[in-house]
Amino acid sequence: MAFPSSIAAVPHRLPLLGHMVSLLRDPLAFLSSLPTHGDLVRVGLGPVTAVAVCDPALTQELLRRDRVFDKGGPLLERVREALGDGLVTCPHSLHRRHRRLVQPAFHPGRTAEYAAVMSGISRSSSARRWRGSSPDEPRVTTTFPTCR
């Protein structure tokens, strides 16, 4: 995909690698440096070029106008193949339906119920896994509590 020349390109792009070396070496420094190049900047992710939004107002516009700025592209298609059409990866046409399905689970009144369940599981798992052969002898374990 060709991008307009008005979108600034981040300098020091390496052939084939793009900006991946800088991004992997120090992600926070690399991402923090992007706004110095403009509100929209072209970043090389390997052989692929992506556009990063660095302006808070543009970011808000991008998130609010999801019909205009729908999710898509080769990377998202690969993620969608692996994870399916979840709330994060689904296109606009499915997003509202998915959001309404999961919304009741995040109602503020449900938080106390979740906390009680998680505390109970944590207490029972900890008591069971950290007990030694005798009550006075603690044991160290490499087993972690699992999802139920």
Side-chain angles (χ1 to χ4, degrees):
M1 170 186 270
F3 294 103
S5 59
S6 60
I7 299 176
V10 176
H12 310 298
R13 181 178 182 155
L14 300 172
L16 298 175
L17 298 175
H19 297 100
M20 290 301 292
V21 174
S22 300
L23 181 61
L24 293 173
R25 182 177 296 142
D26 192 350
L28 185 58
F30 178 74
L31 295 173
S32 297
S33 73
L34 294 181
T36 61
H37 304 292
D39 293 340
L40 291 173
V41 293
R42 286 182 286 160
V43 179
L45 302 174
V48 177
T49 299
V51 174
V53 180
C54 302
D55 179 64
L58 287 176
T59 302
Q60 187 176 36
E61 182 79 7
L62 179 90
L63 294 172
R64 284 196 173 169
R65 297 184 62 201
D66 56 348
R67 288 185 182 173
V68 176
F69 304 106
D70 201 1
K71 302 171 203 159
L75 176 62
L76 192 62
E77 290 301 321
R78 288 187 190 141
V79 171
R80 197 176 288 147
E81 287 173 9
L83 301 178
D85 273 331
L87 192 58
V88 174
T89 60
C90 71
H92 178 268
S93 59
L94 298 174
H95 187 269
R96 186 169 302 243
R97 180 176 180 274
H98 286 352
R99 193 189 79 207
R100 286 186 176 155
L101 286 171
V102 300
Q103 194 170 4
F106 294 97
H107 187 274
R110 303 288 308 260
T111 309
E113 294 174 40
Y114 295 145
V117 169
M118 287 187 275
S119 295
I121 290 171
S122 177
R123 269 190 240 107
S124 68
S125 295
S126 296
R128 208 173 40 250
R129 285 186 168 78
W130 291 97
R131 229 176 282 137
S133 55
S134 72
D136 299 328
E137 178 189 336
R139 99 183 142 125
V140 177
T141 182
T142 58
T143 307
F144 295 96
T146 57
C147 294
R148 295 178 185 223

